[in-house]
Amino acid sequence: MTPQTRLSFLGQEAWPPGGPGPELLVPLGTSTPQSSGPGRPTPHHYISSMRVASMRGAADMGGALVARVATFLRTQYKNLTSSPLVLSWCPAFRMDVSDFDTSLVQVPLLPHLKVPPGLLSLPAILQAHQRTILLRVDPRGASVRSRPTAAQHNSEISFNESTVEDRPKRVLVEGDPGYGKSTLALKLAYDWAADPTGSYLSSYRCLHESVKVQGEGSLVLTYKNVEWQEREADSTLPACPLVQGRAAPASQHSTAGAALNTLVNHHSLVFVVTLRDFRGGSLYSHLCKEVLPRHILSKEAMNTLWNHLKKIEEKVLFLLVGYDELSEEESGDITELLEGQMLPNATVVLTSRPGSAKPMPALLHRRLLIAGLAPDQTHRFITKYFRAINKPGSTHEVMSLVTASREKYGDLVTCPIMCLALGVLYEDLGGKLPSRLTDMYMALVKHMIRKNLLRRGEPMCYDVLPDKYNKLLSDFGKLALEALKCNTPYFTGQDLKTRCQHGGEVVELGILLKMHSMSKLSKKDHYTPIHKSFLEFLAAFYLSGLIHDPSLLQVEIDSIAEKLDITQPILR
């Protein structure tokens, strides 16, 4: 659907003069090839300027480059499964990006807009808006697609309502630390790579079809969840043949099947861009240096590809990870991409942290919040853990304990890593869970330290923290408090080196996780907590150590009050 025929902004529709009036939309719910050299074959992905020059025509050239780049990107994304997340305090369990699952809720873009209730699945991120169309198949073999008129709505002729989906072009997905914002983007990329034809990111397939004979051979077709190409109202589609008085399914005939195939929209390319590694300037340069290095495409080939992307932009998907980590000074072309000034018909999925000081993009078609695991997903995740340690019968017992203490654990079990933590503690504590949350966090910290010491061949008394780790947790707790006050729950490698003695051990313990980057050259070491509540616990651990220094404790409390805009803090 072209921009001239329809514009979409903040859930509202605008038709050209003469078309239907506006209506309110309610959305539905690596391994890198090595460069060539002496004695080394040229990578099969590489396209030299000579090969580009030998191709026939700009369209052929661009299409060939897209195919080659798609092959390269799919290889990169499929290789994500070769590096599963394995936590140092639970080495028996692997978390693979291909198995990632979560639930989302849709957030209204404006207070008066309605959104679908309940939890949504991953495909709903890009599930299209819907509007009514009519498809008429007359006995003479012509299928006519048109918008309904008032008379047609009241008629008995061979019309049937169906849905045409208008895809959201700019989507914001927000989530707290530990809930998998980056993993969600990688999961989308992996799904596109692993199933080139069947993935919900590769095409908008016919999810439901129905046919009905009406009148003298007239046939009514209903196709749901299909992205239709924009056609003139009086254009025709190939007719669906009748077989013994009934319509043949699309899979049993070529004409209707071919018609449906021409209406399917594909994502030809999916780019994952880690925004904390974006250095400003042009998106073109970033793709050249960080996503498609020179050994994949020559400079001439990259120029040709970029120009071709502008012609097929509706088939390009950008997954931008970490909008809250992108500085205003280094936003460069990202701002133009988000505002639709660059590649306006490309699809952009943006991940960010809720409550970030960074303002939301002005142009959004959908806003989603990662709600975490739904109850059935929690059950499956805990079941998978106990199967990994050959104790499948423990799932029911843990779920019973969680249900009985829902006020304590109800929120935590929506986070996959905290589900894993509860399973580990259940085993560690002999079939029970701590009665208080503070006891749970302390028990998990002790488990982490004990695992770390065992790897080094050092013993640890079960109930006593070594002095070294008391100091480490206190130092990092102070850093965690600063992060919470500034609402930036991320840490750089430099932070851990300079502001926390032996800060690297916090990563070794598994309290912090290294954040994934898809950049090739400009990677920065960034770390995120396994759950935001862990930062709160360690910040409280630091403050509790100041109980014998009331003046310093008061300074810290005053600072918290100032940051949180709390008046007249009282030290009790």
Side-chain angles (χ1 to χ4, degrees):
M1 187 171 295
T2 62
Q4 291 76 18
T5 56
R6 186 177 182 279
L7 300 174
S8 177
F9 178 72
L10 293 180
Q12 294 180 336
E13 289 188 330
W15 290 92
E23 63 184 53
L24 183 64
L25 286 179
V26 181
L28 298 175
T30 60
S31 86
T32 304
Q34 304 204 357
S35 59
S36 58
R40 184 179 296 168
T42 301
H44 71 280
H45 298 300
Y46 182 78
I47 301 181
S48 67
S49 57
M50 182 177 296
R51 289 178 63 192
V52 170
S54 68
M55 296 179 184
R56 295 181 178 179
D60 291 344
M61 186 187 306
L65 291 173
V66 167
R68 291 284 182 148
V69 170
T71 299
F72 168 74
L73 291 175
R74 284 193 167 102
T75 300
Q76 303 298 299
Y77 301 151
K78 285 189 285 188
N79 284 342
L80 291 170
T81 59
S82 63
S83 302
L85 174 61
V86 179
L87 297 167
S88 58
W89 45 272
C90 186
F93 190 75
R94 296 162 47 106
M95 285 185 279
D96 201 314
V97 66
S98 62
D99 296 327
F100 177 78
D101 197 11
T102 193
S103 298
L104 307 106
V105 292
Q106 190 162 339
V107 181
L109 293 171
L110 293 174
H112 67 279
L113 296 179
K114 295 182 179 180
V115 296
L119 299 176
L120 305 174
S121 60
L122 288 180
I125 294 175
L126 293 176
Q127 190 171 352
H129 301 292
Q130 295 188 342
R131 62 182 171 84
T132 300
I133 61 102
L134 296 175
L135 183 66
R136 182 184 68 223
V137 182
D138 62 31
R140 294 168 295 179
S143 302
V144 181
R145 172 213 181 222
S146 61
R147 301 187 185 100
T149 64
Q152 290 166 347
H153 272 305
N154 297 323
S155 69
E156 298 296 332
I157 62 175
S158 300
F159 281 94
N160 194 30
E161 293 186 3
S162 185
T163 55
V164 173
E165 301 193 338
D166 297 309
R167 179 157 208 191
K169 299 296 184 184
R170 300 296 183 269
V171 180
L172 174 64
V173 180
E174 298 174 294
D176 283 319
Y179 278 79
K181 296 184 298 298
S182 300
T183 308
L184 181 145
L186 298 179
K187 167 66 172 173
L188 296 179
Y190 173 84
D191 286 348
W192 171 77
D195 192 358
T197 59
S199 169
Y200 54 92
L201 287 175
S202 295
S203 61
Y204 302 95
R205 303 175 66 83
C206 180
L207 302 181
H208 171 73
E209 63 180 68
S210 65
V211 291
K212 180 173 62 176
V213 178
Q214 186 173 358
E216 298 179 359
S218 295
L219 184 66
V220 175
L221 289 83
T222 300
Y223 288 109
K224 294 183 178 179
N225 299 329
V226 176
E227 180 75 17
W228 296 79
Q229 293 177 347
E230 184 66 20
R231 295 171 179 262
E232 296 299 327
D234 60 352
S235 66
T236 61
L237 301 175
C240 177
L242 295 179
V243 178
Q244 296 179 352
R246 294 193 302 176
S251 60
Q252 297 181 17
H253 57 80
S254 58
T255 53
L260 180 60
N261 288 336
T262 63
L263 301 176
V264 173
N265 185 23
H266 294 266
H267 269 136
S268 299
L269 291 175
V270 176
F271 295 107
V272 181
V273 178
T274 311
L275 293 183
R276 65 175 171 276
D277 297 326
F278 192 77
R279 296 293 178 269
S282 71
L283 179 60
Y284 167 86
S285 297
H286 183 84
L287 294 180
C288 287
K289 295 176 182 178
E290 304 292 350
V291 180
L292 300 172
R294 189 63 57 85
H295 70 273
I296 302 302
L297 290 178
S298 67
K299 183 176 181 180
E300 294 84 355
M302 186 63 202
N303 287 334
T304 302
L305 175 67
W306 182 252
N307 289 329
H308 189 70
L309 290 185
K310 298 175 184 177
K311 300 176 183 178
I312 62 163
E313 58 186 70
E314 71 281 354
K315 298 184 178 182
V316 180
L317 170 62
F318 288 96
L319 301 173
L320 307 183
V321 180
Y323 179 62
D324 54 303
E325 302 171 67
L326 178 67
S327 66
E328 192 67 32
E329 301 76 29
E330 295 185 333
S331 59
D333 278 356
I334 298 299
T335 299
E336 293 189 6
L337 179 66
L338 294 176
E339 293 178 352
Q341 299 174 22
M342 172 185 290
L343 302 175
N345 290 319
T347 304
V348 180
V349 175
L350 186 68
T351 73
S352 187
R353 189 170 40 83
S356 169
K358 195 173 183 65
M360 284 199 311
L363 178 62
L364 280 181
H365 302 119
R366 181 166 296 167
R367 183 183 180 190
L368 300 162
L369 178 67
I370 299 178
L373 300 178
D376 59 324
Q377 294 169 325
T378 296
H379 190 277
R380 287 197 299 269
F381 191 89
I382 293 177
T383 298
K384 184 179 178 182
Y385 164 69
F386 282 113
R387 285 177 178 169
I389 63 172
N390 297 316
K391 295 184 178 180
S394 298
T395 301
H396 177 73
E397 299 172 24
V398 171
M399 292 303 299
S400 296
L401 291 172
V402 169
T403 302
S405 302
R406 185 165 296 279
E407 69 282 359
K408 291 195 293 287
Y409 300 124
D411 290 336
L412 293 181
V413 294
T414 62
C415 175
I417 294 182
M418 295 310 293
C419 284
L420 189 59
L422 292 176
V424 166
L425 291 179
Y426 175 83
E427 289 294 305
D428 218 25
L429 300 178
K432 60 182 180 180
L433 293 176
S435 58
R436 299 188 305 171
L437 282 179
T438 52
D439 294 337
M440 185 209 73
Y441 288 114
M442 182 55 74
L444 185 56
V445 166
K446 289 178 179 178
H447 175 85
M448 293 174 172
I449 293 173
R450 188 166 58 256
K451 283 286 187 181
N452 195 41
L453 290 175
L454 286 174
R455 285 194 300 271
R456 302 178 180 184
E458 303 176 26
M460 171 187 164
C461 178
Y462 190 87
D463 290 324
V464 180
L465 286 178
D467 291 340
K468 169 188 173 181
Y469 288 100
N470 264 309
K471 179 71 164 62
L472 174 65
L473 295 177
S474 181
D475 288 347
F476 181 70
K478 183 176 182 179
L479 191 59
L481 180 61
E482 290 298 321
L484 291 170
K485 288 190 293 186
C486 298
N487 195 24
T488 53
Y490 304 119
F491 307 91
T492 65
Q494 190 66 18
D495 290 335
L496 299 179
K497 288 179 181 178
T498 60
R499 301 177 62 189
C500 180
Q501 188 176 7
H502 306 295
E505 286 203 44
V506 179
V507 179
E508 292 181 18
L509 292 176
I511 294 174
L512 295 179
L513 303 177
K514 187 173 183 178
M515 300 171 69
H516 198 94
S517 174
M518 292 301 293
S519 298
K520 306 295 181 185
L521 303 175
S522 303
K523 292 183 179 180
K524 294 180 181 178
D525 287 340
H526 276 69
Y527 302 89
T528 185
I530 58 175
H531 194 271
K532 186 178 179 181
S533 62
F534 232 100
L535 294 185
E536 297 166 351
F537 169 75
L538 292 173
F541 184 89
Y542 160 68
L543 292 174
S544 67
L546 302 180
I547 197 68
H548 300 297
D549 191 345
S551 59
L552 182 55
L553 180 57
Q554 186 67 61
V555 169
E556 290 287 10
I557 291 178
D558 289 343
S559 175
I560 296 172
E562 181 181 357
K563 287 286 185 180
L564 301 181
D565 195 23
I566 301 174
T567 59
Q568 297 180 347
I570 299 175
L571 178 60
R572 297 185 184 275

